[in-house]
Amino acid sequence: FPLNLTADCNAVLKALQPIFQEQGMTETVHNWEDHGYLATYIKKNGSFANLRIHPHGLVLVDLQSYNDHTKGREEVDQLLNKVEERMKELFHGNIKRVKRLPAILRGGVIDRYWPTADGRLVEYDIDEVVYDEDSPFQNIKILHSKQFGNILILSGDVNLAESDLAYTQAIMGSGKEDYTGKEVLILGGGDGGILYEIVKLKPKMVTMVEISFDKWLIIHFTLNIDQMVIDGCKKYMRKTCGDVLDNLKGECYQVLIEDCIPVLKRYAKEGRMFDYVINDLTAVPISTSPEEDSTWEFLRLILDLSMKVLKQDGKYFTQGNCINLTDALTLYEEQLSRLYCPVEFSKETVCVPSYMELY
């Protein structure tokens, strides 16, 4: 409750006390002179409430309940309704707004809460854990969302959902490229979405290099894909990958489960060139110290090696990060001027449904 005036802490406390006492809750009050009151109310079943009264005009009520059934939720709503009514009676229209947040469910079998790239907490409509395994490199989860379908989550990072064709299309050039008869190299992409969509376009050959054992990736939070990701996706993400992950080699594609850095170095030495290189390894780091962050060093290495296997008129596609991380994205653009060869670049912003943010 933000107020239009300063709060009489003692008056608020006395007005709300009876509501909690009626619930059989025991009270403890802390008074910090100019910093307001904190009152805690504890029930015999372990439920408790915190009432925080700030003298500048803010009253907060937090309630934690161990009742996870309909009756318990109704009791919580009834208590909060009474608090709201009493506050309105006490302040006679001097409440700027009343904001009641949905309950956060902690410790459940299904974890619905995942952060966006810019640090906002999102609650997904997840109703099933489809796949949950630990590989030598990362934790792999595939969770089912009512609106997004199955979602691939790697070490707490939302990677791709079955709803996210917009991401795959964007990292392929948003329908503006002709892949017919072309040589394509995909770095990462273990969900199979990019490979599946490109194979439809009749390329000459697509090579997907699937894992990097590089020390930087193992240390950092954005690990690359591994064989267990492929295994999970080919079984539970078929709306994304179709049947291309059923076999590691097809008529116009091959999947290499190898460290991508030696592969890139080998291709450069052999003089093998590609019309397109698509980097789906890792997002741009959010660190603003690229000289000290080893993930930036990894990205620079991948960029340089990719340019060495890219035809002069070829194109390199990669993901950036969410639109709110402007500093990191600007720093990434600065890295492009440090490559051994001059490059031109363009960028596109798309809405990726399961990310719940612009990318």
Side-chain angles (χ1 to χ4, degrees):
F1 303 90
L3 309 176
N4 288 319
L5 43 78
T6 57
D8 183 335
C9 296
N10 193 45
V12 174
L13 182 65
K14 287 183 177 180
L16 298 182
Q17 274 175 333
I19 297 174
F20 298 104
Q21 291 170 351
E22 289 168 5
Q23 300 291 319
M25 305 176 88
T26 58
E27 178 189 72
T28 304
V29 179
H30 303 273
N31 180 359
W32 294 289
E33 298 179 357
D34 296 335
H35 299 287
Y37 285 14
L38 169 65
T40 60
Y41 299 91
I42 302 174
K43 203 169 184 176
K44 288 182 179 179
N45 66 359
S47 300
F48 66 93
N50 291 326
L51 169 62
R52 183 72 171 94
I53 309 166
H54 297 271
H56 70 271
L58 179 64
V59 179
L60 305 173
V61 179
D62 296 308
L63 195 147
Q64 291 195 23
S65 173
Y66 294 96
N67 297 318
D68 193 27
H69 49 79
T70 302
K71 184 179 178 182
R73 289 192 290 270
E74 289 176 352
E75 290 174 354
V76 169
D77 284 337
Q78 289 171 6
L79 187 149
L80 294 176
N81 288 339
K82 289 180 180 179
V83 169
E84 187 173 330
E85 291 170 8
R86 192 67 54 86
M87 285 291 291
K88 289 178 179 178
E89 291 172 2
L90 183 64
F91 286 99
H92 304 293
N94 283 307
I95 297 175
K96 291 180 182 177
R97 67 177 182 273
V98 177
K99 183 71 173 180
R100 189 183 299 189
L101 301 177
I104 294 177
L105 305 178
R106 298 181 176 180
V109 176
I110 298 175
D111 186 357
R112 301 181 179 135
Y113 305 96
W114 300 94
T116 59
D118 60 347
R120 292 173 292 111
L121 186 63
V122 172
E123 179 177 1
Y124 287 83
D125 57 348
I126 291 168
D127 58 6
E128 182 185 357
V129 178
V130 176
Y131 182 84
D132 189 355
E133 298 289 343
D134 289 312
S135 79
F137 313 102
Q138 58 203 324
N139 173 259
I140 306 160
K141 285 185 174 65
I142 298 177
L143 307 178
H144 180 263
S145 157
K146 296 175 185 177
Q147 60 181 322
F148 301 128
N150 286 345
I151 305 175
L152 174 65
I153 299 175
L154 300 180
S155 295
D157 182 37
V158 175
N159 269 241
L160 197 75
E162 292 178 319
S163 63
D164 297 345
L165 181 59
Y167 172 92
T168 303
Q169 290 175 333
I171 205 170
M172 290 170 52
S174 296
K176 301 171 186 175
E177 305 300 322
D178 181 7
Y179 286 93
T180 306
K182 300 297 175 60
E183 292 271 1
V184 183
L185 177 63
I186 303 172
L187 306 177
D191 52 73
I194 298 171
L195 179 61
Y196 180 55
E197 296 301 323
I198 288 183
V199 165
K200 295 178 186 178
L201 303 177
K202 309 299 182 184
K204 179 179 180 182
M205 175 57 66
V206 183
T207 301
M208 187 167 91
V209 187
E210 240 325 279
I211 187 165
S212 171
F213 294 99
D214 189 86
K215 63 181 180 180
W216 297 314
L217 278 187
I218 293 174
I219 290 172
H220 271 266
F221 62 91
T222 47
L223 301 179
N224 192 17
I225 321 300
D226 55 33
Q227 178 66 57
M228 289 180 66
V229 173
I230 291 179
D231 293 340
C233 288
K234 72 180 180 182
K235 186 172 183 179
Y236 299 113
M237 299 281 291
R238 295 189 76 84
K239 289 183 181 178
T240 296
C241 66
D243 59 358
V244 295
L245 297 181
D246 292 350
N247 298 291
L248 297 183
K249 187 171 288 190
E251 183 179 342
C252 63
Y253 73 89
Q254 60 177 340
V255 178
L256 306 180
I257 310 296
E258 297 184 47
D259 180 347
C260 70
I261 292 177
V263 171
L264 283 168
K265 290 179 177 178
R266 182 172 74 243
Y267 286 167
K269 185 176 181 180
E270 294 171 352
R272 184 171 178 185
M273 305 297 282
F274 295 87
D275 297 286
Y276 294 95
V277 176
I278 301 176
N279 178 355
D280 196 31
L281 288 170
T282 181
V284 171
I286 60 173
S287 166
T288 53
S289 302
E291 302 307 325
E292 300 174 5
D293 191 322
S294 58
T295 312
W296 281 108
E297 192 176 346
F298 170 76
L299 285 178
R300 282 192 291 265
L301 175 62
I302 293 296
L303 274 167
D304 267 326
L305 289 174
S306 297
M307 295 305 111
K308 291 177 181 177
V309 299
L310 189 64
K311 293 180 180 178
Q312 190 170 1
D313 60 348
K315 291 186 179 181
Y316 175 91
F317 290 113
T318 189
Q319 60 172 307
N321 214 314
C322 88
I323 196 171
N324 285 342
L325 295 177
T326 54
D327 290 344
L329 293 169
T330 299
L331 285 169
Y332 183 76
E333 292 178 16
E334 291 176 3
Q335 309 308 310
L336 302 181
S337 64
R338 302 183 183 183
L339 297 175
Y340 78 94
C341 62
V343 298
E344 295 178 352
F345 71 92
S346 61
K347 52 190 176 181
E348 179 183 6
T349 300
V350 297
C351 179
V352 183
S354 76
Y355 291 7
M356 298 196 195
E357 56 190 341
L358 294 176
Y359 236 64

